[in-house]
Amino acid sequence: MAEIRNYTMNFGPQHPAAHGVLRLVLELDGETVVRADPHVGLLHRATEKLAESKPFNQSVGYLDRMDYMSMMCNEHAYVRAIENLLGIEPPPRAQYIRTMFDEITRFSNHLLWVASCGLDLGAMTVFLYAFREREMVMDMYEAVSGARMHAGYYRPGGVYRDLPEAMSQYTETRWTKGKDLKRRNEWREGSLLDFIEAFARDVPDRIDEYETLLTDNRIWKQRTVGIGVVPPDKAIQMGYSGVMVRGSGIEWDVRKKQPYAMYDQVDFDVPVGVGGDCYDRYLVRIEEMRQSARIILQCVDWLRQNPGHVMLKNFKVIPPTREEMKDDMEALIHHFKLFTEGYCVPAGETYAAVEAPKGEFGCYLVSDGANKPFRVHFRAPGFAHLSSMDELTRGHMLADTVAIISTLDLVFGEVDR
Amino acid sequence: MNGTDKSLVEALKSRFPERVSISPPRHGIPTLEIEVGAWLEVCRALRDEETFAFGQLTDLCGVDYLGYGQSEWETADATFEGFGRGVEALGPGRFDWASRPEAGDIRQRFAVVAHLLSFTHNRRLRIRCFAPDEDLPIVPSLVEIWSSANWYEREAFDLFGIVFEGHPDLRRIMTDYGFTGHPFRKDFPLIGNVAVRYDSQRQRVIYEPVEIEPRVGVPRVIRKDSRYKADEVDQAADSEAERLAAQAAATGEGERDG
């Protein structure tokens, strides 16, 4: 009789369901996965080493490119670590803006997740629906920072600038005119806050739309219920965080347990799954989008009533304004020193974690008192999640690997760093 | 969280009187420095004992303390030479282990730093272990205690060359297939050693030594002058003023649009 051997297959690095550059070496017995060996590092850019060669401020931009689906949350972790060591605290308005944009980011991340996960499992429509809303989130990013994705908006000591008074509008083109133009500009008549508010009020209905497509969909449930089950003790043992632990029924959210920014001032619920399978993780993410909308509305409300500074006034760390710089010799010197040499951060080490949409994003920062970090390490949630790929997929069918990769919510910018 | 942190430090002190040193939480998280011989034993206790119950290893990374506290720019005396005094100095990747700069009061070069999280007590702990030998740094592996350490240790091995004894699968993880060296060590140049390009004559991808010059735009500076003294006083006053201003919903807005 012929010898039967397992079949080894390469999944990726260029595979539409690999969410980037994941090379997964799968050992298959028929269609059942016997062993999965993820090869990562194809997008390794040595961000941590690069950050060591630059003054503290200049690395904020790299953080956008870590998890490029939730840009501002990454910045938040890094900026918080620097603020910890410097012993400064941004003004409350900046903290509220950060809270609001963290939640906008969370919404946008989960939106893209539901889109691409749907696409992976054969649901095309939800992808098109989600990109309709994503466009508006990108516009919010652009309005506040000038960039649609890689914002570079959070700075140690606050945020780069205050929210704009006017929202950009569509102009008339051959394709957008008349009634259509009016509809598209309807929310854009006022300030950015008006736009965000209109969006956040409208969004629960949009989430209902996604849910009608998926939640009770027979095919969707067949593909996700009971797939990739993670028991709670395993979830802790394997270093999971964020939705991955909450999906398994552990009530753990850094925003609630170790609050940062203004999360102790806003009211929101933490959804928790029951079974720990792909379907539960889907439900948790959908509910988190609704909660994000809730937090955004509370922040909008506060920000309307409380104008003020969005940056500390501290010339040792924060550059003076343009006008001050042109007017005052002392301010000019500070400006020059801050943009050439940067600022020295007191020696010490710190770990600052934020609840990024994908899980706990942490920044371990060691300073020896210089103007550059001595060592900086980023704890990316996706790295821990992917490392358990073998345990998660073993015994599943090949097609289920796609569902599992999808609900891990991987982005290789942060896995490889 | 400060109250619980204090009780944690007390509990750690009474439980591990020897072979470890505890630094109090300066920025939120206490640090436990553990001798390499006691690394596994202490970690197991940290996971299993009720008072600690650190169920999760959130993060683990290597640190290379070579050149800690060294600056590249002479700040004490000004010269007429300008930028030259920065460019000539030692910088990351411009020295080797033989001509290493003084490492201050750091005893050993390589350390493994891990962050633990207790879901039951809602607190964090940083643990650190220095590898005794700097030529071949060996530290026992934590995979048996926390399975999430697996890839983190592979990463620390790949980037720093720290060997984790007892690790089930210690392969490189981040760098290219066939890479030599450990790129995050402080004596590994930032520009790397080899460059990869497509050779149209040989019709294949080749590796060759890098041609670019190392160039770090901003020198590393450690300042201890007056700008960094009395900071805390200013700081407290500043942030207090900010808070009052915000509470009173002051009229000034849009301060920063430079």
Side-chain angles (χ1 to χ4, degrees), chain A residues 160 314 341 349 368 372, chain B residues 128 218 220 223 235 256:
Chain A
Y160 174 57
N314 178 346
E341 185 181 292
E349 52 186 348
D368 59 350
K372 302 173 183 183
Chain B
R128 188 197 335 260
V218 182
R220 205 181 150 73
R223 298 227 179 239
Q235 203 57 69
R256 295 207 64 266

Side-chain angles (χ1 to χ4, degrees), chain B residues 18 58 65 70 77 113 152 158 163 183 241:
Chain B
E18 295 160 7
T58 342
Y65 280 96
Q70 297 288 309
D77 306 304
V113 180
Y152 288 118
D158 188 1
V163 177

